[in-house]
Amino acid sequence: MSSSSAIPAKAWTSGHSLASAETDNRLQRAWEYTISSMGEHGTAEELANNNFYKMMFGSVDTTDKLSLNAKAAALKDNYDIELSDTFTEQGISEALVSQIQAKVKQHVHVLYNADYQAGDALADDGNSDRGGFQMHFSPSGDGISDLTPVTNKQQYKEMMQSIIDTAVNELKENATYSEDVNAKSYISQLGADLKSYAGHDDFTTFSQAKLKSTAPESKQDNYEPWGIKSGANTRITMQRYFELEAEPTKATLGDTDQGATLDSLTFIVNTLRSMNDESALENKVAANENFSVPIQTGHHAFLLKLTPELMSAVGSDDDIADWMADTFGDGYDFGADDFDNYGTGTKEEMLTHTRTILAKLPDLTDDFKRTVSEEALRRVGLEDADEDSLNFHDVVIDNIMAVMNEYFHDYSSTHSESGQLTVSQLSNSDHLASDLLDDAIWQSRDDLGDMIPDENTVIVADTNWGNGDNHKQFGYSVSPHTGAVKFVQVDEQGQISTKEADKWFSESTSILTDISQYS
């Protein structure tokens, strides 16, 4: 067997070649944040200009708390400072408020954040409230190098107080006021009182009420001063983005029998086969290699990329189970029973490979990596030093997996006070251990040589996640630990990592099947 590090990169390149070319296809790179941004809340830029930048100012009927400009108007006559005939209290007050508004636009940015969540659960209709639009603060004002997400009331208050300080200092340096001591003193005192008010709960209450007043009625509970939990209705947002009819023609996944991974792949292939009547899909791809098919999942709406690997399944006459067995191996469903296709070597070689994989494990808890590494190396070290054909799977993979399982099994009793692992992680610890081990092996592939079988990955989806012209892909690959098929992400360098299929697919997952509606 040869090293297969180039294989996932090859699979990624195949998918990427479809995703990166110039095209007039309106579906190109329509990933979740693009679609959500076209939905009920508007784009991030629209939200910033119409909602966030205005929520500190003005008035709103739903609260008696004051905005910054209303507070400034209430304070403007409170200072025993004699201004020259050139200035008035109202004029300086309004100038300071205008300066604060300008600084808000310079230092505050609204960005889509896929991790900004109202919850992890899927609704009954398959919609999800993952993701959202979140306020970010740039202390320098350049908006690039120092963006920091605003996540709570205290950070919101501190951000506004910092902005007021900046506005006060810049206004005092303005040529209009810089030579007038009394005018600068007035600006300082009014600014100090506005800064104090910005740190008060009354101001936060006004901000939230003002922002909520701009929300669609059904979404008001998702609005808070530093962000909007998306709560996006993916059905509505996808229809708007794709300019579809209210009820586009679609096929739906429905009940699952084999689990989310196999059922989602089966659904994708069988649906595309049904769309390929009289070679309709194959003709589309032949005419435009970038042609894509929209799929809506519980958490996301994205594009099926009709890669050569995926189209080989679509054009095959084989039963779907036979195609999977031919593509991924006989153990694609429940895992392999025979690991003779793994490499062999001496104990020292097995110890080296063990260290390579262990180095890629994450620091899941304070002692996870250290504890698992020490015990796994101890067990591998017990192997016969004179044996030169130790099986990599039997010696390295099985020992690491056994040690991780024992660590998670004993965690509740040995780490009762730390609580670094959730109840969900511990209740699914065998699944967690398998994913951690697979990811570590995939990351170590270049160093493992022929110890593990060649990679076999089928890319099925494009994203617009990634850097520059490159984008991450989604697909299905074989677990190096079990030999079963997994739903995976493949990054720009061809690096594979596990994705939890049941958090990406649900019974309501649907594929738009009428090509005429979107091509």
Side-chain angles (χ1 to χ4, degrees), residues 175-282:
T176 303
Y177 307 102
S178 61
E179 302 299 325
D180 192 305
V181 174
N182 286 352
K184 290 195 295 184
S185 177
Y186 184 91
I187 293 169
S188 293
Q189 292 190 42
L190 177 57
D193 285 343
L194 289 179
K195 178 180 177 181
S196 177
Y197 180 63
H200 197 280
D201 282 349
D202 282 355
F203 173 64
T204 309
T205 299
F206 172 84
S207 298
Q208 185 158 12
K210 184 64 181 294
L211 188 64
K212 281 180 178 291
S213 72
T214 67
E217 185 175 351
S218 63
K219 301 296 180 183
Q220 288 188 1
D221 290 342
N222 294 336
Y223 280 56
E224 53 193 353
W226 44 88
I228 297 175
K229 298 170 183 177
S230 178
N233 186 320
T234 52
R235 298 183 188 282
I236 292 176
T237 53
M238 184 168 68
Q239 287 163 15
R240 290 186 182 182
Y241 183 78
F242 295 137
E243 302 173 16
L244 297 172
E245 299 295 331
E247 289 296 330
T249 306
K250 60 192 176 185
T252 303
L253 176 57
D255 294 334
T256 57
D257 300 321
Q258 307 173 86
T261 298
L262 292 181
D263 282 325
S264 62
L265 179 55
T266 299
F267 170 62
I268 289 170
V269 173
N270 281 339
T271 301
L272 293 179
R273 283 180 173 181
S274 70
M275 296 171 63
N276 196 40
D277 187 39
E278 297 184 357
S279 301
L281 273 185
E282 291 173 296

Side-chain angles (χ1 to χ4, degrees), residues 63-85:
T63 179
D64 58 358
K65 308 306 179 185
L66 299 180
S67 63
L68 281 180
N69 56 304
K71 187 67 174 178
L75 291 169
K76 66 181 176 62
D77 296 325
N78 287 6
Y79 309 106
D80 188 18
I81 299 174
E82 187 174 346
L83 297 174
S84 69
D85 293 340

Side-chain angles (χ1 to χ4, degrees), residues 79-233:
Y79 309 106
D80 188 18
I81 299 174
E82 187 174 346
L83 297 174
S84 69
D85 293 340
T86 306
F87 304 110
T88 65
E89 288 83 356
Q90 180 172 342
I92 296 180
S93 173
E94 290 176 352
L96 180 55
V97 169
S98 295
Q99 187 71 10
I100 294 171
Q101 289 176 317
K103 293 298 100 179
V104 167
K105 288 190 175 183
Q106 180 182 351
H107 292 266
V108 177
H109 300 267
V110 179
L111 305 174
Y112 184 81
N113 181 357
D115 294 325
Y116 190 77
Q117 300 177 8
D120 289 325
L122 296 177
D124 292 339
D125 65 355
N127 287 314
S128 166
D129 53 7
R130 291 176 66 93
F133 298 94
Q134 187 170 18
M135 179 181 287
H136 288 67
F137 176 48
S138 168
S140 70
D142 67 14
I144 299 175
S145 62
D146 58 351
L147 280 177
T148 303
V150 180
T151 60
N152 55 54
K153 184 195 299 184
Q154 185 59 34
Q155 289 179 347
Y156 175 68
K157 292 177 178 179
E158 292 172 355
M159 176 191 75
M160 288 306 302
Q161 289 180 318
S162 174
I163 287 174
I164 291 172
D165 277 340
T166 300
V168 167
N169 291 333
E170 291 188 5
L171 190 63
K172 287 162 61 178
E173 294 172 1
N174 186 285
T176 303
Y177 307 102
S178 61
E179 302 299 325
D180 192 305
V181 174
N182 286 352
K184 290 195 295 184
S185 177
Y186 184 91
I187 293 169
S188 293
Q189 292 190 42
L190 177 57
D193 285 343
L194 289 179
K195 178 180 177 181
S196 177
Y197 180 63
H200 197 280
D201 282 349
D202 282 355
F203 173 64
T204 309
T205 299
F206 172 84
S207 298
Q208 185 158 12
K210 184 64 181 294
L211 188 64
K212 281 180 178 291
S213 72
T214 67
E217 185 175 351
S218 63
K219 301 296 180 183
Q220 288 188 1
D221 290 342
N222 294 336
Y223 280 56
E224 53 193 353
W226 44 88
I228 297 175
K229 298 170 183 177
S230 178
N233 186 320

Side-chain angles (χ1 to χ4, degrees), residues 1-2 4 341-343 392 397 441-442 444-445 448-455 480:
M1 289 173 288
S2 61
S4 55
N341 55 342
Y342 286 75
F392 175 83
I397 291 180
I441 294 173
W442 276 322
S444 307
R445 177 173 292 279
L448 296 178
D450 60 0
M451 288 294 110
I452 54 179
D454 289 345
E455 190 57 63

